[in-house]
Amino acid sequence: MVERHDPGKEVSHYLDELLSDPESESTSEAVSHSSLQEHSSEKVVHASEPKIDSATSALLHEKDIVSADQVSNQSGGKLEPTSNFNDHLKKIPDDDKESSKAINARKRQEQTSNYKNTGLEQETPGLKPEQKQKLQKLLNQNVIDVDSQSFLDTESLNSSNAQESSQESHTALEDSRPAVTSQVQVEAPENESEEGESLTAIDDFSSIAHYLEWQENGRPLWAQSDFDALLFQVGGLNLAVPLIVLGHIHNINNDLNHIFGQKKWFLGLLNTPMGKIKTVDTALFVMPEKYDPAMAKDVEFVITIDGVQWGLAVKSVNQPVCLKPSDVNWRTERSKRPWLAGTVKSKMCALIDIPQMAKMLAEHEKTG
Amino acid sequence: MTVQLNSDKSVSDDPMLQWVTFRLAGETYGINVMQVQEVLRYTEIAPVPGAPAYVIGIINLRGNVVTVIDTRQRFGLMPGEITDNTRIVIIEAEKHVVGILVDSVAEVVYLRQSEIETAPNVNNEESAKFIQGVCHKNDELLILIELDKLITEDEWAEIESF
């Protein structure tokens, strides 16, 4: 009987090393494990709660307008569209040859337009300013609908999770299940991936550069208050990334193209509706000393980084959770692994400083 | 008349190029059709003692000796097997004629210059300089090869001494 090679076993102790890394000594804000559990019990999302399930389901099936729908539900119906779409559909003549897809697309566009027109400032008094800003950003996005590509907008996850997290209870990581279980049909933005455009020219690192800043309290700018993080697995290692600068989640399928002559952690170019994503072999990048080539064959998704054309190849993606700054043992010395922000002992995972990682990748490309 | 002139100008600024595409290790590559002389079925390649690793050997092409390059080795790819689809593409680069061994030859595609994108530059190997750019065509990524950089002047001198 042939045993299946499990690279995860070989790196199972790697996380322990990370967790016991002298560089990740806890700061004055670090608390005991039991205390962490207590702190996080109020905010962290329960992965199997029906609310997050329905939100995820909606994301998976109606990615383009899901934020608007969720906003409507979560804000007590304050963002109701100004027209009835059923009435609108009735007005379409029977002899109109539009497909149901075209009708849905029109419906979504009008719905989104109506949401935009409604005005967040007046209609969502229950939302915090930053939440309003996120929602407005989502509503300002182009309506997208694609046939052949699948991706999940982590920004939507961020938005929905921020709303849900205040109502949900905490459970252990092992209870969480993959957030991405099926393909999502979405449409490409109108001006996506202009041909002839330089791959490097698309990167706009300046848009996320300010997130690199670490404050005097030993925490990055993005972790000054509670923040959402996406949990994922790669090479048997559990990792968490803050949603703050994450873009989308793409299914790799067979769309990854290997480019010779590049660094070994460069898996290749992934063709997506958002352009060609330069994909990183995350396992090799974060733990080269424990790397097994079999890990590269296990990856199924690519999580893209907002602002740059880079993405992290991962094996599976779990539900996002809300973390308190005190949940993390922040690293005080970050010269050895600049991409490692700290560790979350309650989740047994390493927290990636994703803006820093984006900077590293951009610098790698600049220096070649 | 003015519209016609503008149209002509835009076409000349963005010329249409033809590329011969071939497959190698699961990826599709393109080379400028103007540099391709002919495509041969795989034939016996006579090894040359003392030749560099990237040289498979020589063939007799209508009385002329042509050196055949191991393209996989040159690109830093894993060795492959010879199959019925294997071809030797005779190319002209820097006024030298050489053959490159490929898994198969696919087709000729038309690309506008503006369609060619810069390749990622995360390179730490010399072979990265062989890539002229990339382009998405017919639902697949084309990696365009700059044949003039495939072999350096010193290497040409070494090859021609066989």
Side-chain angles (χ1 to χ4, degrees):
Chain A
M1 181 178 160
V2 180
E3 281 189 23
R4 190 172 179 274
H5 178 60
D6 183 7
K9 284 182 181 174
E10 293 182 14
V11 297
S12 57
H13 63 285
Y14 183 70
L15 184 61
D16 296 335
E17 284 179 24
L18 286 177
L19 294 173
S20 59
D21 189 343
E23 289 183 4
S24 42
E25 285 299 319
S26 36
T27 65
S28 56
E29 291 189 74
V31 291
S32 68
H33 182 73
S34 58
S35 173
L36 280 176
Q37 298 273 11
E38 204 175 295
H39 274 293
S40 55
S41 64
E42 296 170 6
K43 290 279 184 181
V44 179
V45 174
H46 191 312
S48 57
E49 281 289 330
K51 280 197 174 181
I52 197 73
D53 283 348
S54 62
T56 307
S57 174
L59 278 166
L60 290 170
H61 290 96
E62 292 229 342
K63 184 263 164 199
D64 46 358
I65 58 164
V66 67
S67 355
D69 285 339
Q70 288 177 333
V71 168
S72 176
N73 293 333
Q74 291 162 4
S75 60
K78 297 267 170 96
L79 288 177
E80 284 298 323
T82 54
S83 66
N84 186 324
F85 294 111
N86 290 330
D87 293 345
H88 172 73
L89 291 174
K90 282 174 189 172
K91 290 174 187 170
I92 300 173
D94 292 339
D95 57 351
D96 192 333
K97 300 298 182 188
E98 281 187 334
S99 65
S100 59
K101 185 183 166 187
I103 294 171
N104 287 335
R106 181 188 298 177
K107 179 181 170 183
R108 289 170 183 174
Q109 282 182 340
E110 188 165 334
Q111 192 173 13
T112 308
S113 168
N114 287 329
Y115 284 131
K116 286 179 184 176
N117 295 336
T118 306
L120 282 170
E121 289 301 322
Q122 289 139 12
E123 297 297 322
T124 56
L127 293 179
K128 293 175 183 174
E130 60 269 23
Q131 290 171 330
K132 286 179 185 175
Q133 199 176 354
K134 285 176 185 172
L135 293 174
Q136 191 61 59
K137 191 177 170 187
L138 283 168
L139 295 178
N140 289 340
Q141 288 177 349
N142 289 335
V143 175
I144 47 180
D145 249 335
V146 187
D147 292 325
S148 59
Q149 296 291 337
S150 63
F151 63 90
L152 179 65
D153 190 343
T154 52
E155 206 161 334
S156 303
L157 278 176
N158 189 10
S159 175
S160 64
N161 188 49
Q163 301 251 343
E164 298 269 354
S165 59
S166 60
Q167 303 163 13
E168 304 296 333
S169 61
H170 163 72
T171 56
L173 176 63
E174 52 268 26
D175 291 340
S176 61
R177 57 185 175 72
V180 181
T181 54
S182 63
Q183 302 234 347
V184 191
Q185 303 299 315
V186 285
E187 187 176 288
E190 285 178 9
N191 297 323
E192 52 95 9
S193 65
E194 284 290 330
E195 287 185 322
E197 203 169 4
S198 164
L199 284 169
T200 49
I202 300 169
D203 288 356
D204 180 20
F205 184 72
S206 59
S207 64
I208 59 171
H210 62 282
Y211 287 121
L212 290 169
E213 214 175 303
W214 278 56
Q215 304 295 299
E216 287 179 358
N217 57 14
R219 301 199 304 261
L221 189 63
W222 46 264
Q224 294 306 302
S225 56
D226 293 3
F227 61 95
D228 293 313
L230 187 67
L231 301 173
F232 63 86
Q233 281 83 43
V234 58
L237 185 68
N238 291 323
L239 294 169
V241 283
L243 291 188
I244 192 75
V245 293
L246 286 190
H248 299 92
I249 300 172
H250 298 273
N251 201 324
I252 287 181
N253 294 328
N254 294 317
D255 297 330
L256 196 60
N257 296 102
H258 174 69
I259 310 284
F260 67 81
Q262 310 298 315
K263 291 196 184 295
K264 294 204 182 304
W265 49 258
F266 183 77
L267 269 185
L269 284 177
L270 182 72
N271 192 43
T272 73
M274 321 314 274
K276 295 177 182 64
I277 302 298
K278 290 166 277 192
T279 304
V280 176
D281 186 344
T282 314
L284 182 57
F285 193 85
V286 303
M287 50 175 188
E289 66 278 11
K290 305 288 179 187
Y291 184 72
D292 185 324
M295 294 172 183
K297 294 173 184 169
D298 277 346
V299 294
E300 292 181 28
F301 302 100
V302 172
I303 304 172
T304 65
I305 305 172
D306 197 21
V308 294
Q309 293 292 99
W310 284 95
L312 307 178
V314 304
K315 183 179 181 182
S316 62
V317 182
N318 288 326
Q319 299 287 351
V321 293
C322 184
L323 295 175
K324 290 173 179 293
S326 57
D327 291 342
V328 182
N329 285 353
W330 299 101
R331 297 183 84 204
T332 52
E333 174 56 53
R334 298 168 56 245
S335 57
K336 192 178 173 187
R337 299 187 188 97
W339 52 266
L340 181 61
T343 50
V344 188
K345 287 200 173 181
S346 61
K347 305 289 181 193
M348 288 298 286
C349 68
L351 178 66
I352 291 178
D353 184 348
I354 198 73
Q356 185 62 41
M357 185 178 265
K359 182 190 172 195
M360 290 171 68
L361 294 170
E363 285 176 351
H364 272 298
E365 185 163 43
K366 195 183 289 180
T367 55
Chain B
M1 185 66 173
T2 309
V3 173
Q4 180 65 38
L5 283 173
N6 286 340
S7 174
D8 291 345
K9 187 174 183 299
S10 65
V11 169
S12 64
D13 288 347
D14 191 14
M16 181 77 83
L17 303 170
Q18 286 176 278
W19 300 82
V20 175
T21 66
F22 63 86
R23 302 278 295 174
L24 204 61
E27 300 296 339
T28 306
Y29 296 86
I31 50 178
N32 191 332
V33 74
M34 300 304 288
Q35 293 182 272
V36 176
Q37 290 192 344
E38 58 186 300
V39 179
L40 308 175
R41 284 186 173 278
Y42 179 78
T43 182
E44 194 67 30
I45 301 172
V48 179
Y54 61 87
V55 172
I56 301 175
I58 54 174
I59 57 171
N60 186 334
L61 180 63
R62 295 185 289 275
N64 294 319
V65 173
V66 175
T67 304
V68 179
I69 303 295
D70 185 348
T71 320
R72 278 178 177 257
Q73 203 276 346
R74 198 65 177 149
F75 290 175
L77 305 172
M78 297 296 284
E81 290 181 357
I82 302 296
T83 69
D84 286 345
N85 294 323
T86 302
R87 296 288 184 271
I88 299 169
V89 182
I90 307 296
I91 59 161
E92 184 182 339
E94 298 285 310
K95 297 179 181 174
H96 301 278
V97 175
V98 72
I100 57 172
L101 191 71
V102 301
D103 291 352
S104 65
V105 171
E107 59 180 338
V108 176
V109 297
Y110 291 77
L111 299 177
R112 288 221 172 270
Q113 182 69 43
S114 60
E115 290 180 283
I116 300 172
E117 300 176 36
T118 311
N121 185 29
V122 201
N123 54 302
N124 59 347
E125 291 179 25
E126 278 291 295
S127 56
K129 69 183 179 189
F130 305 146
I131 301 178
Q132 183 174 343
V134 294
C135 178
H136 195 248
K137 192 79 174 178
N138 301 332
D139 278 340
E140 65 179 359
L141 188 83
L142 272 179
I143 303 168
L144 306 175
I145 302 298
E146 189 148 16
L147 289 174
D148 289 341
K149 289 185 179 174
L150 195 60
I151 296 169
T152 65
E153 276 304 316
D154 290 345
E155 288 169 337
W156 277 123
E158 189 178 13
I159 288 171
E160 303 222 322
S161 66
F162 295 155

